[in-house]
Amino acid sequence: MTRLAIISDLHVDINGLFASEFSLLAEILQEEKITHLHFAGDLANKVDRAREVVAYFTEAGFVTTFNWGNHEMADLIEAQIEEFPAPGFLNFKTFPLSESAVLLGYNGWYDYAFAQEVEPEKIPKLKELYWYDRMIQRTGTDPEVDAALLRQLRKVLDQLQKAGKDVILATHFVPQKEFIIYQTAPKLRRWNELNAFLGSAGLGRLLDQYDNISHCVFGHTHRHFPDLTRGKTVYSCRPFGYYFEWQLTKDFVFANQLVAEYAPMKLRGVLRRNQAAFDAYKKVHLAEEFRRSMTIIERN
């Protein structure tokens, strides 16, 4: 029996996660009887650091696989994004979970379809102004890159369908509009434009055509959602995210009456001014944050 845990968006460098936190996560995985661990992108900003994390959990006894997110992509040349020569790297590749089930890794990309309230020709300029991915070099426009990747993914999915395989798809970017938040407050409306870079509606339409994809697990949005079933596929999105977005951080600042309103992007200064107390609180509650940020799937 395989018990698979999928985790996205650990951001170990931004979150300051090191051996003690990895040990805690390993203990949780052991308690959950996890045999296979997959990281669905954004382990770290630097590829070497991401590979160190993969190596840690491999040495801890877990079968460990991964695909890239946009943060690792910024540290790679284009040829390495889709084909990276490392054990455990799954992109357009599968790993057997049972005789009938496979884990399929797919980095993914975006097609701008989730953007709102912006003219399409303005979206690349927004990317250059506001988005981390301006550092990623790719050949073609983002919608062209996404379309090419989806053509390649279709070939893989067709082969797996023909083989009668149950597919668990792990990707980084959002595939369905139900996982996109549209803001109504004027000061937050910029995010409706930046949703362009969160995922691909084309991916969702492609997945809708297959009845052998039992699960699709992803992150990137840094928001947790209830599982959603579309057709035969269960979609799961519960990324770990940045430390100032965690539930434990929200609980900490309210319990200590440090803020009147929860605004994650404004919490970094608050946390720095209360660093010792926050570190103590985090030490007690980090295990809960890890547990709520993983998807566990079992296959015999």
Side-chain angles (χ1 to χ4, degrees):
M1 181 182 72
T2 296
R3 276 179 64 81
L4 167 68
I6 302 177
I7 303 174
S8 73
D9 300 89
L10 270 187
H11 291 287
V12 298
D13 36 18
I14 294 171
N15 290 326
L17 305 182
F18 296 98
S20 60
E21 289 81 13
F22 300 161
S23 177
L24 173 62
L25 177 55
E27 289 177 13
I28 294 168
L29 296 172
Q30 289 164 355
E31 290 171 6
E32 294 289 345
K33 297 182 171 53
I34 299 301
T35 57
H36 187 139
L37 172 62
H38 183 85
F39 293 111
D42 281 8
L43 260 175
N45 285 356
K46 296 296 181 181
V47 167
D48 287 348
R49 181 75 172 122
R51 294 189 68 185
E52 288 173 2
V53 180
V54 171
Y56 179 96
F57 287 95
T58 301
E59 292 168 6
F62 304 99
V63 176
T64 309
T65 53
F66 63 102
N67 61 265
W68 295 137
N70 56 313
H71 278 246
E72 292 99 352
M73 292 178 189
D75 195 38
L76 295 166
I77 61 173
E78 187 171 34
Q80 297 173 314
I81 292 175
E82 306 302 335
E83 296 184 24
F84 190 80
F89 178 63
L90 297 185
N91 184 47
F92 300 112
K93 296 178 182 178
T94 61
F95 192 100
L97 302 176
S98 70
E99 288 187 7
S100 60
V102 297
L103 170 65
L104 170 62
Y106 174 61
N107 295 338
W109 200 238
Y110 37 81
D111 59 7
Y112 299 170
F114 296 142
Q116 191 180 67
E117 303 174 9
V118 61
E119 297 175 16
E121 63 271 15
K122 293 182 179 179
I123 294 176
K125 296 178 182 178
L126 290 171
K127 184 177 178 179
E128 290 300 316
L129 284 172
Y130 299 109
W131 208 248
Y132 185 84
D133 298 8
R134 63 186 179 274
M135 296 183 286
I136 303 172
Q137 300 301 313
R138 308 214 66 159
T139 302
T141 67
D142 292 320
E144 289 170 347
V145 170
D146 184 65
L149 295 176
L150 291 181
R151 287 193 292 271
Q152 188 174 350
L153 179 62
R154 180 186 291 276
K155 293 177 182 179
V156 176
L157 291 174
D158 285 347
Q159 292 169 356
L160 292 170
Q161 185 180 57
K162 185 176 180 180
K165 295 296 185 181
D166 167 21
V167 177
I168 290 90
L169 176 67
T171 186
H172 186 67
F173 295 90
V174 178
Q176 299 289 359
K177 190 174 183 178
E178 288 88 341
F179 297 93
I180 302 295
I181 300 296
Y182 294 99
Q183 304 289 345
T184 57
K187 64 181 179 180
L188 298 175
R189 303 270 301 256
R190 173 69 69 192
W191 287 101
N192 296 339
E193 302 173 344
L194 299 178
N195 284 338
F197 315 118
L198 289 189
S200 167
L203 174 58
R205 290 192 297 271
L206 177 62
L207 301 184
D208 286 344
Q209 298 173 32
Y210 296 87
D211 60 7
N212 63 319
I213 303 174
S214 60
H215 287 80
C216 176
V217 184
F218 57 97
H220 189 48
T221 179
H222 286 208
R223 291 177 179 270
H224 286 207
F225 293 84
D227 284 354
L228 170 73
T229 300
R230 281 177 64 108
K232 299 291 183 66
T233 305
V234 177
Y235 290 86
S236 298
C237 179
R238 45 184 70 92
F240 190 63
Y242 298 141
Y243 68 94
F244 48 85
E245 301 167 321
W246 294 342
Q247 181 64 44
L248 76 81
T249 304
K250 182 178 182 180
D251 294 342
F252 170 76
V253 295
F254 280 133
N256 290 279
Q257 300 180 334
L258 299 176
V259 296
E261 179 185 15
Y262 180 62
M265 299 299 291
K266 297 180 179 180
L267 287 184
R268 283 168 285 189
V270 174
L271 297 173
R272 281 194 298 270
R273 291 191 293 273
N274 297 273
Q275 193 67 57
F278 178 60
D279 288 345
Y281 190 90
K282 180 174 66 174
K283 187 173 183 179
V284 174
H285 296 281
L286 185 59
E288 302 165 29
E289 203 69 37
F290 279 138
R291 288 184 183 278
R292 67 168 62 99
S293 301
M294 64 175 68
T295 298
I296 297 175
I297 300 169
E298 190 173 295
R299 285 294 180 271
N300 291 317

